[in-house]
């Protein structure tokens, strides 16, 4: 029996089709008219767990919230000298604008549908690799976590890490085109609320225009960004984006209220709390220029840390070597997006890379798809990683 037993095209297509067919949208994205059954991870977790159990792999569904579980599977190694955590996520984003998001559609080597690449491709690669490891166990123990809530507030990975189990190294599955990601930016998001004074547009001087104050806040934020000149060798500079502006009453009313939402992608040398404090001060400075107005900067509703794993660390070195053996550029890179890897690194001190099949360009896209061959290649690379943990680098 080869070390890749059970890693086959038919299984990949079947599993990924099931992942797409069973809706698992994160409830954080639910709007008033959405179909309730499309939200939550329980249904897909049950189907995937049944498949793993059919492969004689220990598998449990662990409730995190009602209808929103983690799935945890384990393959015991021959000696257990090391222990590794593979992590993917069960939840997907919203499906607005998609004609038929939950019907998998094959075109050549591509399979289309919501969740196909984010994070179905990685989840299926992990599962196929787990089946191969069960048939031909490595020395090391391997745990596979399919987590809930990666797309919003990371409660699935936090729930698992709260168990304080020891892992020597980890892989977080995301579409990286099979490249090794050792660094990523953090994300902090917050709202700024502005309250001026309504007035008739015939007498605008009697009002305090919240939109005008918002423009000044944006200018002060530009000034703050101009002072942030540090760049990371793999990630470049930090970035700030205003992602929403809510304002306006009637066409003849000076609007008092204005609300702005911000997304700041920060570097491993920064902390989300310190970033938020600096921009809070910058926004509040605008109040002095508009007597009678108020500005309230809300606490962050997301703060996901950055990470930077040394190039010489075992997980980076081993997976880079495997990439080279498969004809993939072995040089580790950085990305501007986050994942559950940052919690594995910064909360549990698990040296972790981000790695998986498919392109991040397809994640969250209206025409989201994954290719089957990279899923099979990823599964074989993960099997190699598990079997080579006890060999010299």
């Amino acid at each position: 029996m080869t070390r890749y037993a059970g890693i086959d095209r038919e299984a990949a297509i079947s599993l990924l089709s099931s992942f797409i067919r069973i809706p698992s949208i994160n409830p954080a994205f639910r709007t008033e008219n959405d179909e309730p059954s499309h939200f939550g991870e329980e249904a897909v977790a049950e189907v995937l767990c049944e498949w793993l159990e059919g492969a004689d792999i220990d598998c449990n569904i662990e409730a995190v919230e009602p209808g929103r579980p983690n799935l945890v599977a384990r393959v015991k190694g021959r000696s257990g000298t090391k222990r590794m955590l593979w992590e993917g996520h069960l939840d997907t984003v919203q499906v607005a604008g998609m004609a038929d998001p939950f019907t998998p559609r094959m075109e050549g080597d591509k399979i289309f549908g919501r969740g196909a690449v984010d994070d179905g491709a990685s989840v299926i690669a992990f599962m196929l690799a787990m089946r191969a490891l069960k048939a031909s166990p490595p020395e090391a123990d391997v745990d596979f976590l399919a987590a809930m809530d990666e797309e919003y507030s990371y409660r699935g990975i936090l729930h698992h890490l709260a168990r304080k189990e020891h892992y020597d190294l980890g892989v977080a599955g995301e579409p990286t085109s099979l490249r090794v990601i050792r660094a990523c930016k953090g994300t902090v998001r917050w709202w700024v609320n502005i309250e001026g004074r309504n007035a008739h547009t015939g007498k605008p001087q009697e009002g305090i225009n919240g939109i005008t104050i918002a423009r000044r806040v944006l200018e002060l934020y530009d000034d703050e960004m101009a002072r942030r000149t540090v760049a990371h060798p793999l990630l470049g500079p930090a970035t700030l984006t205003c992602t929403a502006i809510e304002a306006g009453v009637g066409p003849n009313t000076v609007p008092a209220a204005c609300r702005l939402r911000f997304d700041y992608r920060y570097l491993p040398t920064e902390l989300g709390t310190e970033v938020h404090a600096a921009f809070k001060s910058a926004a509040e400075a605008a109040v002095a220029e508009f007597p009678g107005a108020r500005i309230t900067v809300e606490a962050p509703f997301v703060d996901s840390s950055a990470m930077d794993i040394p190039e010489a660390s075992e997980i980076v070195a081993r997976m880079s070597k495997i990439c080279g053996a498969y004809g993939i550029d072995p040089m580790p890179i950085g990305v501007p997006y986050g994942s559950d890897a940052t919690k594995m690194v910064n909360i549990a001190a698990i040296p972790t890379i981000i790695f998986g099949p498919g392109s991040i360009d397809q994640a969250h896209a209206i025409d989201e798809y994954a290719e089957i061959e990279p899923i099979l290649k990823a599964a074989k690379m993960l099997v190699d990683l598990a079997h080579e943990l006890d060999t010299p680098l």
Side-chain angles (χ1 to χ4, degrees):
M1 182 178 293
T2 71
R3 67 164 57 175
Y4 307 126
I7 299 177
D8 61 78
R9 181 179 176 83
E10 291 72 22
I13 293 172
S14 176
L15 276 170
L16 188 53
S17 295
S18 295
F19 191 93
I20 294 168
R21 193 174 290 115
I22 305 168
S24 58
I25 305 173
N26 192 305
F29 306 129
R30 183 176 172 182
T31 59
E32 184 177 357
N33 296 321
D34 286 332
E35 168 56 47
S37 65
H38 290 173
F39 296 83
E41 300 91 342
E42 187 170 46
V44 71
E46 289 175 346
V47 169
L48 298 184
C49 189
E50 182 179 356
W51 186 92
L52 289 163
E53 289 174 337
D56 198 29
I57 296 169
D58 290 337
C59 184
N60 296 298
I61 292 178
E62 301 180 350
V64 180
E65 296 180 359
R68 305 196 64 194
N70 284 343
L71 180 156
V72 182
R74 293 185 172 89
V75 170
K76 293 291 292 182
R78 293 194 300 269
S79 65
T81 52
K82 290 184 179 178
R83 191 178 183 197
M84 179 163 52
L85 176 62
W86 293 344
E87 188 270 349
H89 62 89
L90 297 170
D91 60 323
T92 69
V93 296
Q94 63 281 349
V95 295
M98 300 182 74
D100 197 2
F102 307 122
T103 299
R105 185 179 85 256
M106 287 293 302
E107 292 186 8
D109 194 49
K110 298 176 182 177
I111 184 165
F112 289 78
R114 177 55 84 225
V117 79
D118 188 17
D119 200 27
S122 290
V123 168
I124 275 53
F126 285 136
M127 292 175 64
L128 294 174
M130 291 289 279
R131 179 163 70 170
L133 293 180
K134 181 64 179 181
S136 180
E139 293 294 326
D141 296 341
V142 180
D143 285 10
F144 166 51
L145 167 67
M148 52 81 77
D149 195 40
E150 186 274 344
E151 294 287 3
Y152 191 71
S153 58
Y154 330 114
R155 282 168 290 180
I157 185 65
L158 295 176
H159 181 272
H160 188 76
L161 296 179
R163 300 154 62 116
K164 300 190 182 301
E165 298 184 31
H166 172 75
Y167 294 101
D168 296 285
L169 62 172
V171 179
E174 295 286 350
T176 72
S177 299
L178 302 180
R179 296 293 299 276
V180 173
I181 308 298
R182 70 171 184 86
C184 71
K185 290 182 176 180
T187 304
V188 59
R189 299 184 179 123
W190 69 94
W191 285 95
V192 174
N193 299 306
I194 299 168
E195 187 61 41
R197 185 169 60 243
N198 288 329
H200 194 286
T201 52
K203 297 182 177 180
Q205 68 277 8
E206 295 182 359
I208 304 175
N209 194 322
I211 295 175
T212 302
I213 302 172
R215 183 176 62 189
R216 182 58 180 148
V217 169
L218 291 170
E219 291 172 349
L220 292 171
Y221 274 18
D222 285 344
D223 293 344
E224 177 64 28
M225 287 301 296
R227 290 190 284 271
R228 295 174 176 266
T229 58
V230 175
H232 186 278
L234 295 182
L235 302 173
T239 60
L240 176 70
T241 305
C242 181
T243 60
I245 298 179
E246 300 174 358
V249 188
N252 60 348
T253 300
V254 174
C258 186
R259 197 169 188 232
L260 302 94
R261 185 179 63 209
F262 293 93
D263 176 299
Y264 182 93
R265 300 297 169 122
Y266 62 90
L267 304 181
T269 52
E270 299 178 287
L271 293 175
T273 51
E274 294 175 354
V275 168
H276 178 261
F279 283 95
K280 182 175 185 290
S281 296
E284 291 172 345
V287 173
E289 303 176 28
F290 300 91
R294 292 184 300 166
I295 291 180
T296 304
V297 180
E298 296 182 9
F301 62 91
V302 167
D303 186 358
S304 177
S305 58
M307 77 174 203
D308 188 355
I309 300 299
E311 188 171 352
S313 64
E314 180 181 10
I315 183 61
V316 174
R318 287 194 180 278
M319 205 60 178
S320 295
K321 182 179 178 181
I322 291 169
C323 281
Y326 278 80
I328 299 163
D329 190 338
M331 183 62 65
I333 58 176
V335 293
Y337 59 85
S339 78
D340 281 342
T342 61
K343 292 79 187 168
M344 295 162 69
V345 170
N346 297 320
I347 295 175
I350 305 168
T352 301
I353 59 167
I354 308 171
F355 167 84
S359 169
I360 193 63
D361 293 339
Q362 290 302 320
H364 305 188
I366 289 178
D367 60 346
E368 180 178 355
Y369 68 82
E371 294 174 288
I372 301 302
E373 283 304 314
I375 295 174
L376 303 179
K377 185 177 289 188
K380 292 176 181 178
M381 294 170 75
L382 290 163
V383 167
D384 289 348
L385 175 64
H387 277 285
E388 295 170 15
L389 284 184
D390 288 304
T391 64
L393 274 167

